[in-house]
Amino acid sequence: MSAWNIVLLASIICVGLKVAGYLIPAKAFEHPTIARIANLLTVALLAALIAVQTLGAGQSVQLDARVPAVAVAAVLYALRVPFVVVVIAAAAVAALLRAVF
């Protein structure tokens, strides 16, 4: 199976999951626990993606310039700095650390 076949198959599966999500009745999400899980699941998945992309290097954990850059981005985001400034500052921190070390 080529890479394009895998991409097409994954795309079809994603579209199928999205369509299945629309078919679930709204009543299913009215329970408080289910509603809370649905609200927090996206944030949890995004946090996991950020952690894997920041700390992962193959099968191991690697600490490099990405960690301080993400920390700077988190602090600036908590201070409600505009998103473009957060991205530029985080990229500048990573570039500076990579240039120095």
Side-chain angles (χ1 to χ4, degrees):
M1 183 176 272
S2 71
W4 281 108
N5 290 339
I6 294 171
V7 169
L8 289 173
L9 181 63
S11 300
I12 291 169
I13 291 171
C14 287
V15 169
L17 286 172
K18 188 166 181 86
V19 170
Y22 284 115
L23 296 176
I24 296 174
K27 184 180 177 184
F29 296 106
E30 290 178 357
H31 190 273
T33 303
I34 299 299
R36 184 162 172 80
I37 289 171
N39 286 336
L40 295 177
L41 189 60
T42 304
V43 175
L45 289 174
L46 183 59
L49 178 64
I50 290 170
V52 167
Q53 292 298 318
T54 303
L55 301 173
Q59 295 292 322
S60 63
V61 175
Q62 180 178 9
L63 298 176
D64 58 7
R66 295 176 290 179
V67 176
V70 170
V72 167
V75 168
L76 292 176
Y77 187 74
L79 295 174
R80 299 187 183 266
V81 175
F83 184 70
V84 173
V85 176
V86 171
V87 171
I88 291 172
V93 168
L96 180 66
L97 289 174
R98 287 181 177 157
V100 171
F101 298 107

